[in-house]
């Protein structure tokens, strides 16, 4: 069975593309800040906070994930990821890889795969729960 990609709406009134501004894996958890594109009607930054961190994450320049982007375009059409950032993936090859690498330990953790196709990178997260999400004023917009 192949992967099933679903556009995920982690907060209301989100639109358009976001950029990964920062990722900080700290003692209190994983912090990710997304900056909206200049075309966005919502000027606020989006913060994901995973209090217990995540089991795994990877980030790559989007040029290193070109095949994945081609596949998404062929399966879901031109606009599926072009104007959206946040996705959940069912039957994830990333979670299958983690299962193999962990000798199936991760199979017992009820994990989900969240993928963020940002304007500057692709971020994959393997987690057992959704992050706390907050909106942050974008001081860059006010300058």
């Amino acid at each position: 069975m192949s992967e099933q990609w679903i556009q995920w709406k982690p907060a209301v009134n989100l639109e358009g593309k976001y950029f990964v501004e920062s990722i900080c894996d700290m003692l209190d958890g994983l912090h990710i800040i997304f900056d909206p594109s200049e075309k966005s009607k919502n000027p606020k930054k989006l913060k994901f906070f995973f209090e217990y961190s995540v089991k795994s994450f990877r980030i790559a320049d989007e040029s290193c994930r070109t095949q994945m982007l081609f596949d998404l375009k062929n399966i879901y059409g031109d606009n599926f990821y072009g104007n959206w950032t946040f996705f959940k993936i069912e039957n994830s090859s990333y979670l299958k890889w983690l299962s193999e690498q962990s000798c199936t330990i991760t199979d017992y953790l009820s994990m989900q795969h969240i993928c963020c196709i940002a304007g500057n990178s692709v971020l994959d997260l393997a987690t057992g729960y959704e992050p706390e999400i907050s909106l942050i004023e974008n001081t860059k917009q006010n300058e």
Side-chain angles (χ1 to χ4, degrees):
M1 184 175 192
S2 62
E3 290 184 331
Q4 301 296 313
W5 285 65
I6 301 155
Q7 290 182 334
W8 175 47
K9 296 174 176 49
V12 295
N13 298 325
L14 294 183
E15 64 173 58
K17 226 21 158 176
Y18 283 77
F19 292 80
V20 175
E21 179 178 289
S22 65
I23 301 173
C24 297
D25 195 5
M26 304 174 71
L27 290 176
D28 69 337
L30 180 68
H31 303 254
I32 306 167
I33 297 180
F34 297 94
D35 196 10
S37 74
E38 292 179 8
K39 297 177 186 176
S40 177
K41 293 178 185 170
N42 184 353
K44 293 187 177 185
K45 294 181 182 186
L46 187 66
K47 179 179 181 181
F48 283 12
F49 175 59
F50 293 90
E51 184 175 6
Y52 305 106
S53 196
V54 296
K55 288 299 178 188
S56 178
F57 70 91
R58 66 183 178 191
I59 188 163
D61 185 272
E62 63 184 338
S63 65
C64 295
R65 301 294 303 274
T66 302
Q67 185 62 54
M68 178 202 68
L69 298 175
F70 284 151
D71 292 344
L72 289 175
K73 182 179 177 181
N74 288 336
I75 295 167
Y76 298 102
D78 291 337
N79 294 322
F80 183 70
Y81 72 87
N83 291 319
W84 195 250
T85 302
F86 308 103
F87 301 87
K88 288 189 176 180
I89 304 166
E90 295 178 359
N91 199 37
S92 163
S93 60
Y94 181 47
L95 294 183
K96 286 179 184 173
W97 176 80
L98 285 174
S99 174
E100 292 168 5
Q101 295 301 308
S102 71
C103 298
T104 70
I105 291 171
T106 59
D107 292 353
Y108 302 98
L109 300 178
S110 300
M111 290 199 305
Q112 59 183 315
H113 179 183
I114 296 172
C115 183
C116 305
I117 304 176
N120 57 344
S121 56
V122 178
L123 173 63
D124 292 288
L125 302 143
T127 178
Y129 61 98
E130 290 186 2
E132 288 179 31
I133 297 167
S134 56
L135 296 173
I136 304 168
E137 287 299 324
N138 192 343
T139 56
K140 178 175 72 176
Q141 297 277 341
N142 298 329
E143 293 176 353

